[in-house]
Amino acid sequence: AQSVSQHNHHVILSEAASLELGCNYSYGGTVNLFWYVQYPGQHLQLLLKYFSGDPLVKGIKGFEAEFIKSKFSFNLRKPSVQWSDTAEYFCAVIPITGANNLFFGTGTRLTVIP
Amino acid sequence: NAGVMQNPRHLVRRRGQEARLRCSPMKGHSHVYWYRQLPEEGLKFMVYLQKENIIDESGMPKERFSAEFPKEGPSILRIQQVVRGDSAAYFCASSRMGGTMNTEAFFGQGTRLTVV
């Protein structure tokens, strides 16, 4: 069965620190990959997505993610976080064949200290 | 995306009552997905619907839960005889294309159900 693992449950950083959130998935076939962010009290918003092409994907608000197929990973990065990045971050995948829904990781709560 | 509207935002029900959660997809979207987020867990797929059809309900509990997406009006997720374990955030998402052609789903703000 497909699964998505996010290694860090809660990350606390000071402003201007660099961020990397891990995401690994288990599925043998081709997948589309997503990172969503959920700010406190708000809905999930798409940060970035990868379907094909350049494995380094740039998203909104200075976020980027790198797809490493050999490692089944899609880690999220940001060089310098801001207080406003405090939120919950979810990695999600959908196989391109045979699935009707997104499979989500358990999420990583990021707290940025001013 | 603010285009997917869910209501109510918060719903409190006593054990044994019914809960009805509504979702209006974005304009032009005919594919609706319901997800449930239990405390300290990620979102889990429940059901995928197109207009008047349930396409995939593999994530839906077999009893007490049902979903519909009528020709007119919002999609409804209905939970009968609620129990404490149903307390969760229920998210709706919509997309223009569905299933394996889904390239991006837009989410609503969710309904937080509390069963007391």
Side-chain angles (χ1 to χ4, degrees):
Chain A
Q2 299 90 342
S3 69
V4 181
S5 299
Q6 291 183 242
H7 317 298
N8 315 101
H9 293 292
H10 192 187
V11 173
I12 302 173
L13 294 172
S14 297
E15 274 193 318
S18 64
L19 170 72
E20 180 158 2
L21 301 182
C23 173
N24 286 88
Y25 65 94
S26 65
Y27 182 71
T30 303
V31 297
N32 293 335
L33 300 125
F34 305 81
W35 274 97
Y36 283 87
V37 60
Q38 186 178 23
Y39 297 104
Q42 296 190 28
H43 58 87
L44 274 78
Q45 301 173 37
L46 183 69
L47 267 182
L48 48 79
K49 59 189 177 186
Y50 174 80
F51 296 150
S52 63
D54 188 343
L56 185 62
V57 181
K58 302 236 182 260
I60 60 170
K61 305 187 181 186
F63 286 91
E64 65 178 32
E66 185 176 11
F67 171 52
I68 303 179
K69 189 174 181 179
S70 60
K71 295 184 178 180
F72 298 89
S73 70
F74 190 53
N75 292 355
L76 181 71
R77 299 196 292 250
K78 186 170 183 178
S80 175
V81 294
Q82 301 172 309
W83 176 78
S84 58
D85 293 325
T86 295
E88 187 130 19
Y89 293 80
F90 293 95
C91 180
V93 306
I94 183 168
I96 64 167
T97 58
N100 292 312
N101 55 279
L102 290 163
F103 293 90
F104 282 87
T106 52
T108 297
R109 184 176 304 167
L110 172 65
T111 302
V112 179
I113 301 169
Chain B
N1 188 299
V4 179
M5 303 302 296
Q6 288 187 250
N7 67 82
R9 291 288 308 281
H10 300 275
L11 182 61
V12 179
R13 283 287 176 266
R14 295 186 184 279
R15 281 180 293 172
Q17 290 184 319
E18 178 179 287
R20 280 183 179 243
L21 289 65
R22 296 175 190 78
C23 169
S24 297
M26 281 184 67
K27 187 176 181 181
H29 288 190
S30 59
H31 301 264
V32 166
Y33 310 78
W34 285 94
Y35 289 81
R36 177 167 63 175
Q37 184 182 25
L38 293 168
E40 306 300 320
E41 293 187 19
L43 282 76
K44 295 286 196 301
F45 168 76
M46 299 182 75
V47 62
Y48 160 42
L49 310 102
Q50 279 184 275
K51 282 287 186 181
E52 300 184 274
N53 290 304
I54 296 175
I55 306 301
D56 182 352
E57 56 182 349
S58 58
M60 191 91 100
K62 293 291 184 287
E63 297 178 350
R64 302 188 296 107
F65 284 72
S66 62
E68 62 178 16
F69 188 15
K71 187 176 180 181
E72 301 291 337
S75 174
I76 306 285
L77 179 67
R78 182 181 176 208
I79 312 172
Q80 295 179 288
Q81 299 172 357
V82 295
V83 300
R84 287 244 172 91
D86 297 332
S87 295
Y90 292 83
F91 288 92
C92 170
S94 73
S95 65
R96 190 179 301 278
M97 303 174 79
T100 57
M101 297 299 293
N102 178 16
T103 57
E104 183 175 342
F106 292 87
F107 284 81
Q109 291 183 296
T111 294
R112 190 165 298 278
L113 172 65
T114 303
V115 180
V116 298

